[in-house]
Amino acid sequence: MTDRTDRTDLTARGRATAPTPPAPADPAGGAPRPLGEVRRHWPRSFAHRLTAPLPGVRAMARLAREGAARPGRGALDAVPLLPFEPGPLPAVDAGTVAITWAGHASWVIRIGGLTVLTDPVWSRRILGTPARITPVGVRWEDLPPVDAVVISHNHYDHLDAPTLRKLPRRTPMFVPAGLARWCRRRGFTRVTELDWWEAAELPAVDAIGTRTRTVRFDFVPAHHWSKRTLTDTCRSLWGGWVLSDGTTGRRVYFAGDTGYGHWFKEIGRRHPGIDLALLPIGAYEPRWWLSDVHADPEEAVRACQDVGARNMAPMHWATFLLSAEPVLEPLERVRAAWERTGRPREQLWDLPVGSSRLLTVRP
């Protein structure tokens, strides 16, 4: 199941405003939660967190009538031009932050001595979507040992069971509220589920088992939704993650899947000094259907400015055909939008699939 394919209308007409959980005394999210908590109680539905109503039968009928769910035939001619430049993962030490784009929303983030995967999808095909149009940028066998996985929400292009089965079941998993049960049913024993503005910390250890530093995982809001089956709409939460190296203070913000909205400024206020924002720029046409849950390239650049990130790396494009825009258009538009801001070109990390980049030292 991919985004917006069979939603039901769960909210009243008009724009809904999700209630904001109270701000903790510490703007970075307060004291961390214990790892692997089991006895947490969540509401039956998180529909009250939606920031826009879900479309109903009329909207789906219009989408079917217009036939605008995928690019036209001519728009696919540019698929061979999509940037794909796989390379070896860069060598890093514990004080270095490195990112590698595996495709879509899947990143290999190396921070604070840990290797973290975001929304790992190594499958060639996901349910309800044509096969990926670029290969995975990093071969699974080339990955270093994975220290943690973060999941933004449960849509099939972000939560891929075949990929997760490749991981040791003791791999720490950080997931939205309501999703731990799904992970534990598949054998994962170290699952931490968080509400918006909650955090947990994972220590990094050296070769002899000595704790060397700690990475903090803060779960933050997104303008999106969740659904995996016909009966679980909004039964688990959705959001993004701020990963912070407790020693160097470096911060990477992984936005997950999101539309544009008020949450970005609040994330920037509570998490100042973000070094890099990984933001989605694709799957946005037609706008009447997707604007509430998928940012377009111009909105992604605005989101980067709202959160106060020093650098931006686009994602959520060039991998799966989820919507109607031409396949190269997201890259062209995000480059143009960035140029209009007047910000240095080198702060836009428009990486090819499979490429890596290291964070430089803050000035």
Side-chain angles (χ1 to χ4, degrees):
M1 173 110 31
T2 55
D3 296 343
R4 304 201 95 163
T5 53
D6 64 341
R7 301 188 187 183
T8 55
D9 194 355
L10 295 182
T11 61
R13 289 189 178 183
R15 194 164 189 85
T17 301
T20 304
D26 176 1
R33 304 286 307 189
L35 291 171
E37 285 183 278
V38 176
R39 299 182 184 278
R40 300 207 69 180
H41 300 285
W42 305 112
R44 180 171 174 81
S45 171
F46 290 92
H48 62 288
R49 302 285 186 90
L50 293 169
T51 46
L54 299 179
V57 175
R58 288 185 180 180
M60 289 186 283
R62 177 183 173 184
L63 186 70
R65 183 172 64 251
E66 294 181 357
R70 298 287 184 267
R73 177 179 297 180
L76 299 180
D77 294 342
V79 167
L81 303 178
L82 289 171
F84 178 73
E85 298 178 13
L89 295 176
V92 298
D93 56 28
T96 301
V97 176
I99 63 160
T100 304
W101 190 30
H104 202 53
S106 302
W107 295 88
V108 184
I109 302 178
R110 300 159 84 189
I111 182 172
L114 299 180
T115 296
V116 181
L117 301 185
T118 69
D119 289 0
V121 179
W122 261 250
S123 297
R124 180 174 177 269
R125 186 185 296 273
I126 56 174
L127 185 65
T129 299
R132 60 195 307 147
I133 54 177
T134 52
V136 182
V138 182
R139 297 191 312 166
W140 188 263
E141 54 266 32
D142 292 337
L143 287 172
V146 176
D147 297 298
V149 171
V150 299
I151 300 295
S152 64
H153 65 298
N154 71 353
H155 286 154
Y156 280 86
D157 58 323
H158 294 260
L159 180 64
D160 184 51
T163 299
L164 295 180
R165 282 198 292 267
K166 299 174 183 288
L167 292 165
R169 296 307 185 268
R170 284 189 53 78
T171 303
M173 303 278 292
F174 294 88
V175 303
L179 199 53
R181 186 178 181 184
W182 185 95
C183 298
R184 292 187 179 114
R185 282 178 173 175
R186 284 149 184 84
F188 288 95
T189 59
R190 303 174 68 189
V191 185
T192 302
E193 58 182 345
L194 299 176
D195 200 348
W196 289 348
W197 310 123
E198 290 185 338
E201 293 181 346
L202 185 66
V205 297
D206 60 20
I208 60 174
T210 302
R211 177 171 174 163
T212 58
R213 59 209 302 137
T214 298
V215 174
R216 180 175 171 119
F217 295 74
D218 282 87
F219 190 50
V220 296
H223 298 272
H224 206 61
W225 67 302
S226 68
K227 184 181 181 70
R228 198 167 176 89
T229 71
L230 294 176
T231 60
D232 69 349
T233 303
C234 295
R235 293 287 181 87
S236 60
L237 199 49
W238 51 90
W241 295 90
V242 177
L243 277 56
S244 305
D245 183 339
T247 301
T248 66
R250 295 286 184 81
R251 284 182 170 171
V252 176
Y253 166 46
F254 167 66
D257 207 353
T258 181
Y260 179 77
H262 66 283
W263 285 130
F264 294 109
K265 288 185 178 179
E266 182 67 10
I267 292 167
R269 185 185 73 82
R270 299 196 192 196
H271 297 278
I274 292 173
D275 294 282
L276 173 64
L278 311 175
L279 288 162
I281 66 167
Y284 52 81
E285 289 290 349
R287 294 312 283 152
W288 67 263
W289 175 253
L290 291 169
S291 62
D292 292 329
V293 294
H294 285 168
D296 65 23
E298 294 78 13
E299 290 169 335
V301 171
R302 288 173 60 194
C304 179
Q305 295 176 305
D306 288 351
V307 301
R310 181 178 169 216
N311 303 284
M312 170 184 165
M315 64 173 181
H316 206 267
W317 78 284
T319 308
F320 296 109
L321 295 177
L322 303 178
S323 56
E325 72 271 5
V327 294
L328 272 176
E329 184 181 277
L331 180 63
E332 296 165 350
R333 286 176 56 175
V334 78
R335 286 174 172 173
W338 191 267
E339 183 177 5
R340 289 193 294 270
T341 69
R343 296 181 61 171
R345 177 63 177 82
E346 61 270 18
Q347 292 179 354
L348 177 64
W349 296 12
D350 47 344
L351 301 180
V353 175
S355 293
S356 303
R357 185 76 64 90
L358 302 180
L359 270 173
T360 58
V361 178
R362 289 180 183 171

